[in-house]
Amino acid sequence: MPTPVPRSVTSSGPPDLSHVERLRENVSRVFFGPSHVVDRLLACLLARGHALIEDVPGVGKTLLATALARSLGVSFSRVQLTPDLLPADVLGVSILDRQSGEFRFRTGPIFANVVLADEVNRTTPRTQSALLEAMSERTVSIEGQQHELPQPFLLIATQNPATFEGTYPLPENQLDRFLMRLAVGYPSRDREMQVLAERPSDYALHELEPVLNAAEIDALQRATDAVRLDETLRRYIVELAESTRAHEELAVGASPRATLALAAAARATALLDDRDYCIPEDITDNLVHVWAHRVVGHRFLAGSQAREHEAIVTEIAHRVPSPA
């Protein structure tokens, strides 16, 4: 759930939205997929929410996440999640300092501003659950001690479809911590020709320079918090949530965490469109990406039936009247 958190970086004055355009352009230098996927990922950054990118191998999931990370002047770590990975390999571990005789905490790769959890559903549920506190509270608890994560903190996870062999489906409480679930899709013919000609992952990716620093990210996040969401639109979000809870094909509808997430995504989308107020389209355009992975179907829709959940959420969006 995207919530304001204490940050050490302070900012003043209105944000420079030209930074957003520079960030878009920088990422697009190496990622030739749909531009709307880039904007969704930027919305997660602005709304302090985490992103789950799910698609078949080879379409640029890791490339997209790495391009964004390298475009930000903050710390970055990548964790390749495998079946033998342990929670301590991600969070860190206390080790004995023989000179002092005391245990010292050695941080794991989760202690970075941007963390890429690659192929998150290839690791075991035990290691998956180790990410829950970091994603929700921006802290890590080890042996009774709580450690603050650096701010800003963004976790980008990639995963293969659950129908692939060697995967462990993410549990519902883990999915609920992601602001959005995104799909990259196959590139257009022209874009794929461009990939063949330029081979961006071999050359352009390594040449990317940061275009935003921590203070500028902080200013954009604060501006996102300040985007106006009128009472009419808040009521619209609640009506959409109530429709999911009453839907006959859903066992679990959108929770209050889901309504907060949708509001945050709408504010970020408005800011990306250079507005300080939300419109209904900011809500409907994000609805599937923010809610389809949060609702739970009955037994015949359980598991990896993401398309059915997306269809249900889309049907609800068409049925609930949008504010004029």
Side-chain angles (χ1 to χ4, degrees):
M1 177 174 61
T3 55
V5 293
R7 296 180 297 279
S8 58
V9 179
T10 58
S11 60
S12 61
D16 186 353
L17 294 182
S18 65
H19 294 315
V20 173
E21 190 56 38
R22 288 166 53 198
L23 190 56
R24 279 194 185 111
E25 292 174 358
N26 215 46
V27 173
S28 298
R29 287 177 55 196
V30 298
F31 178 71
F32 298 152
S35 59
H36 68 83
V37 177
V38 177
D39 277 357
R40 304 281 184 205
L41 195 56
L42 296 186
C44 289
L45 173 66
L46 298 185
R48 302 190 190 91
H50 309 294
L52 175 63
I53 308 175
E54 180 184 83
D55 219 315
V56 297
V59 294
K61 302 186 299 293
T62 302
L63 179 67
L64 171 60
T66 306
L68 175 63
R70 294 197 175 191
S71 299
L72 304 174
V74 295
S75 60
F76 168 60
S77 68
R78 174 178 173 178
V79 187
Q80 190 67 44
L81 294 165
T82 56
D84 60 345
L85 202 70
L86 298 175
D89 297 327
V90 179
L91 305 180
V93 64
S94 295
I95 60 174
L96 178 64
D97 186 333
R98 294 190 176 183
Q99 292 183 345
S100 65
E102 298 178 350
F103 283 92
R104 297 186 183 276
F105 180 63
R106 178 177 292 177
T107 60
I110 196 70
F111 285 83
N113 294 111
V114 180
V115 178
L116 170 57
D118 214 6
E119 296 185 310
V120 67
N121 61 340
R122 288 193 63 230
T123 196
T124 61
R126 180 186 178 190
T127 304
Q128 290 175 5
S129 64
L131 299 173
L132 280 175
E133 181 187 355
M135 297 174 68
S136 299
E137 310 298 333
R138 271 72 174 177
T139 59
V140 168
S141 295
I142 302 290
E143 297 179 359
Q145 295 292 321
Q146 193 175 72
H147 305 271
E148 296 281 342
L149 293 175
Q151 301 300 328
F153 176 70
L154 170 66
L155 187 138
I156 305 172
T158 69
Q159 72 171 8
N160 296 325
T163 53
F164 280 41
E165 291 187 10
T167 60
Y168 299 86
L170 293 179
E172 285 78 7
N173 61 340
Q174 185 91 41
L175 288 171
D176 196 40
R177 266 62 178 187
F178 288 101
L179 177 66
M180 294 188 190
R181 182 175 65 187
L182 309 173
V184 174
Y186 292 110
S188 65
R189 176 178 294 185
D190 291 341
R191 286 292 196 173
E192 193 158 6
M193 291 288 289
Q194 190 177 1
V195 170
L196 291 173
E198 299 186 20
R199 291 178 287 173
S201 61
D202 293 336
Y203 301 104
L205 179 63
H206 303 289
E207 299 173 357
L208 281 185
E209 296 290 337
V211 295
L212 259 73
N213 58 37
E216 291 162 342
I217 296 171
D218 180 79
L220 289 170
Q221 290 178 338
R222 291 178 184 273
T224 301
D225 292 339
V227 170
R228 189 171 72 254
L229 184 68
D230 287 338
E231 182 181 355
T232 304
L233 296 181
R234 296 197 299 270
R235 185 179 299 110
Y236 178 45
I237 292 175
V238 172
E239 290 173 353
L240 289 168
E242 290 174 343
S243 295
T244 65
R245 297 162 191 168
H247 201 283
E248 60 183 8
E249 293 183 352
L250 293 178
V252 178
S255 66
R257 192 202 307 271
T259 60
L260 286 168
L262 184 57
R267 289 188 172 98
T269 300
L271 191 73
L272 288 171
D273 202 29
D274 200 8
R275 285 181 280 106
D276 63 356
Y277 58 91
C278 290
I279 59 177
E281 286 78 4
D282 296 329
I283 296 171
T284 54
D285 289 350
N286 285 297
L287 195 59
V288 169
H289 302 288
V290 177
W291 278 8
H293 64 284
R294 299 172 186 269
V295 298
V296 179
H298 292 292
R299 185 172 302 177
F300 69 93
L301 286 177
S304 62
Q305 304 300 320
R307 290 185 180 179
E308 285 85 349
H309 294 172
E310 292 173 1
I312 292 171
V313 172
T314 301
E315 179 259 318
I316 289 172
H318 290 159
R319 176 158 46 87
V320 177
S322 172

